[in-house]
Every structure is written in structure tokens, then in C-alpha cells.
Amino acid sequence: METIADAPSTRRLFEDLIGNPQLSFVDRDIAGKFRSLILSLPPKYAQAKPWYKMAPLEVIAITKDDKSIQRITPKTADKHFNFFEQYWSYLLKSGKVGKSADNPFLGFRGKRKNGRKARSERLIWSDEQTQKLFASPLFTGCLSIHRRSTPGNLIIRDARFWVTVMGLLIGARENEICARKVGDITFAQLPNGNGIPTPVLSITGSKTEGSERDIPLPEALLRLGFLEYRVLGRDAEDPLFPELLPDPQTGKRAPAFSGWFTRYR
């Protein structure tokens, strides 16, 4: 998987193909042009000897009439667009673009699968359910670590707190969050980020089609102290949530969270 720290990355590819326009100028025409240009590139354009020293637009220009050359697939283009969908959502939530602005990268990716794959997708919470959860003792204060449902004065920022918040704010699945290591949080320069590195969560190792992606961490999560509590000063290979003990059979950490959360909510 390519992350936005790699070369060529999604961010770098956008700059190579489109440039670095002001956020207010990025619209669906630009997004559509970006996708069209991605689909015009050969899959190994950055590594293959004829092209690896060329800029992507040069590669497109000299290969456009050669029908024998394979091109990047829509599935790969979807991965690039998945990042920008997440990034634009981050911009909206953090106020870096107007709240009335539509996400220009939405609607380009292929339709999701029906049946079993559809059932494995994330649950969408209503506003009422979300408000009720955030008004519960987990976030307003509980009596003790063993009495999380009873109102009190303790806000315990452990895995139960963070995984719940992250699931609601970034829309990732429980196992995608619980399985992360500290090193999956990196800092990257994003387009028009004013030179300030943005914390990014890399979702890797998923078996679900097209689900590997990079997600800028929302400002709301950072204000809660996520980096200070879970990332800074820790070894990159450490589990992000070591208190979630792996299942003896599957090795997954999510069951240690999901069982409790099903009862709590």
C-alpha cells in the first residue's frame, strides 16, 4: 500500500498531475480531471525504466497512443480518491474550508458490494444516538474504572474511550482501529496545509477490498489529547491500545473492545 508519506504518494501525485491550487478552487471538475489522468498512467510508471525519471504528465503524453500499454485500474484510482474523501472531510470538520462546501471527491468511486460485503460495512449512527453516547458517563464522568456506566467524576482515557471516539469521528471499523500500532500514526504535509504537519492514521493489513487508506486525524480528536495520551514518546512497534488483549485464537484485539461496547451502548 502507498501512504501519503511515500513517493509517489497520493498527495504528490495530485500535485504532479494538477498542481497545488487553493482549496477554494478545488471542485468536481478538478477532481474529475485528477481521476482521468490517474487512469491514463501505466501501473508501474514510477518504477519502469522507460519512465521512472519522467514526470507523470510526461509519461501520459508519450504513452497515450500506445494501446498495448496497460493503465492504472479504477480500483487503484479509488484508493487515491478514498484518501482525498477522508482529507476533505477533515478540512470540513476543522473549518479549513467552508461548511457549505461539498466534498468534490465524493461520487467518483465504484459502488460498494451488496450482500455480505455490504453487511460488513460500518454502522452509521444517527445524531440522536451519537448525542446520547457522548452524554453518557464514559465521556461526562464515571464512578470508577469498573463502574463505567455509573455517573461520577472520572473520565478515563483508555482504549474504551479512544476507540469509541475514533470510530465515530473517522468512520473506521473496530478492528481497523484496535489493530493499529503507534507507528501507524505519522505526520505528513498535506496539500495547502500551510506548512503544518498533519497527524495521519494509516489503515493497513485489511482483507476488505479497497479498505487500506490514510485518514487525517480530526481536530476534535487532537483537542482531546489523543497524541499526548497514545502516541508521543512511545515506540513505533507498540500496540496503540495494549490493554486490548489479543484473542487467543485469532490474535485480534477488537473482540476485547466490541464485547464491552455492545453491553455499554
Side-chain angles (χ1 to χ4, degrees):
M1 172 197 175
E2 292 180 348
T3 69
I4 62 173
D6 293 330
S9 64
T10 296
R11 173 189 58 80
R12 180 62 181 272
L13 182 60
F14 183 86
E15 292 177 352
D16 285 343
L17 295 178
I18 301 297
N20 196 16
Q22 292 296 314
L23 295 175
S24 58
F25 295 152
V26 178
D27 55 16
R28 289 188 62 80
D29 287 340
I30 287 180
K33 180 181 178 182
F34 179 47
R35 186 176 181 87
S36 178
L37 289 171
I38 291 174
L39 295 173
S40 299
L41 283 164
K44 299 295 184 181
Y45 71 94
Q47 293 87 29
K49 284 186 177 181
W51 314 309
Y52 75 96
K53 291 185 178 180
M54 297 182 182
L57 287 175
E58 292 181 84
V59 176
I60 292 173
I62 67 170
T63 63
K64 63 180 182 179
D65 296 324
D66 191 338
K67 305 301 182 183
S68 66
I69 296 176
Q70 292 183 333
R71 306 292 165 175
I72 285 177
T73 65
K75 179 180 176 182
T76 298
D78 284 350
K79 292 181 179 180
H80 290 295
F81 266 67
N82 183 75
F83 165 73
F84 273 105
E85 285 180 20
Q86 300 282 349
Y87 176 51
W88 206 266
S89 295
Y90 157 77
L91 293 174
L92 287 168
K93 290 177 181 177
S94 61
K96 296 182 184 296
V97 294
K99 291 186 177 180
S100 61
D102 292 329
N103 189 328
F105 296 95
L106 286 175
F108 287 93
R109 292 194 289 148
K111 293 182 178 180
R112 294 172 183 251
K113 297 287 190 293
N114 294 319
R116 182 176 299 175
K117 285 188 178 294
R119 289 194 295 272
S120 70
E121 295 295 338
R122 299 170 291 277
L123 295 176
I124 304 301
W125 282 58
S126 68
D127 289 342
E128 182 180 354
Q129 288 174 313
T130 301
Q131 291 172 6
K132 182 179 178 181
L133 179 64
F134 278 108
S136 72
L138 180 65
F139 299 102
T140 60
C142 64
L143 189 60
S144 72
I145 194 170
H146 299 296
R147 303 180 70 179
R148 304 296 283 269
S149 300
T150 304
N153 297 320
L154 292 177
I155 297 178
I156 304 169
R157 285 174 167 81
D158 59 1
R160 293 175 175 179
F161 178 93
W162 292 117
V163 175
T164 303
V165 173
M166 292 176 73
L168 291 171
L169 290 180
I170 69 177
R173 300 173 182 86
E174 289 177 1
N175 191 57
E176 291 178 327
I177 299 171
C178 296
R180 303 278 56 85
K181 294 182 178 180
V182 173
D184 290 326
I185 307 290
T186 56
F187 292 82
Q189 295 286 351
L190 300 184
N192 285 295
N194 298 322
I196 301 174
T198 298
V200 174
L201 173 67
S202 294
I203 304 293
T204 60
S206 177
K207 295 181 180 179
T208 307
E209 190 174 315
S211 63
E212 295 194 347
R213 60 204 185 277
D214 297 312
I215 306 174
L217 296 183
E219 186 67 28
L221 186 66
L222 303 181
R223 287 199 300 268
L224 288 170
F226 176 73
L227 294 180
E228 291 80 359
Y229 275 92
R230 289 286 156 171
V231 178
L232 301 180
R234 298 182 61 198
D235 190 274
E237 289 300 312
D238 286 347
L240 196 56
F241 304 107
E243 64 268 45
L244 298 177
L245 300 180
D247 182 275
Q249 294 183 336
T250 65
K252 294 183 177 180
R253 296 180 183 272
F257 170 82
S258 58
W260 166 83
F261 186 68
T262 300
R263 295 189 302 271
Y264 181 82
R265 67 178 182 181

